[in-house]
Amino acid sequence: MLMKSIAAGLAGSALIATVAFAQTPPAATDKAPAASTTTTTSASGEWRASKLVGLKIYNDANESVGSINDLLMDKSGDIKIAVIGVGGFLGMGEHLVAVPFDKLKFVNEAVAYSGAATTPANRPASTTTTGAAADRPTTMNEKTTTATTTSKWYPDHAVFNASKDDLKKMPEFKYD
């Protein structure tokens, strides 16, 4: 009985395969392929939004006040709000505040350290502390005149003119 079932199954499969191969392919048309929806093949000078999350925020006095936790955009895709995490340790006890995205100033140079330099006597002082290149724009609106092939696709940090205490006093942002 089992052999008859297997034989019937194989015969049915062969019959279906024969019908599928006998069909003629659709006729080729002379239409040109659809135009691509992308506007450019290069995004030189642009920043990746995924790299902005976690970016450190400093105030005008070069004091660290928090970091970007999230970016909120409107229905047209324009980023409107940056959610900043203030205080806490490893995400615990962090106070979230929402600030207008256009109030953040993005900077590509490393934060200048204003404290006294302390280096061991046998080691020379370092001239750079990060890999921030000098040929990148200093603000979001400036354009570079030379193409950079080593662009890291995100700014070094952002500046928001408020102290950490001012941000902690702001109403807490909650996801509804």
Side-chain angles (χ1 to χ4, degrees), residues 52-124:
L52 291 179
V53 173
L55 195 70
K56 297 288 184 198
I57 307 288
Y58 293 87
N59 61 14
D60 289 335
N62 287 340
E63 299 168 333
S64 177
V65 294
S67 63
I68 296 176
N69 278 25
D70 206 349
L71 300 171
L72 305 177
M73 63 180 88
D74 61 13
K75 292 180 181 178
S76 67
D78 295 328
I79 299 174
K80 296 295 183 182
I81 296 173
V83 178
I84 298 176
V86 183
F89 181 72
L90 298 175
M92 301 297 291
E94 193 171 46
H95 181 76
L96 298 178
V97 295
V99 299
F101 185 74
D102 59 352
K103 297 296 183 190
L104 294 175
K105 177 182 151 192
F106 292 93
V107 181
N108 283 322
E109 285 82 27
V111 176
Y113 178 67
S114 59
T118 58
T119 58
N122 60 353
R123 191 174 74 189

Side-chain angles (χ1 to χ4, degrees), residues 31 54 89 137 167:
K31 292 182 182 176
F89 181 72
L167 290 173

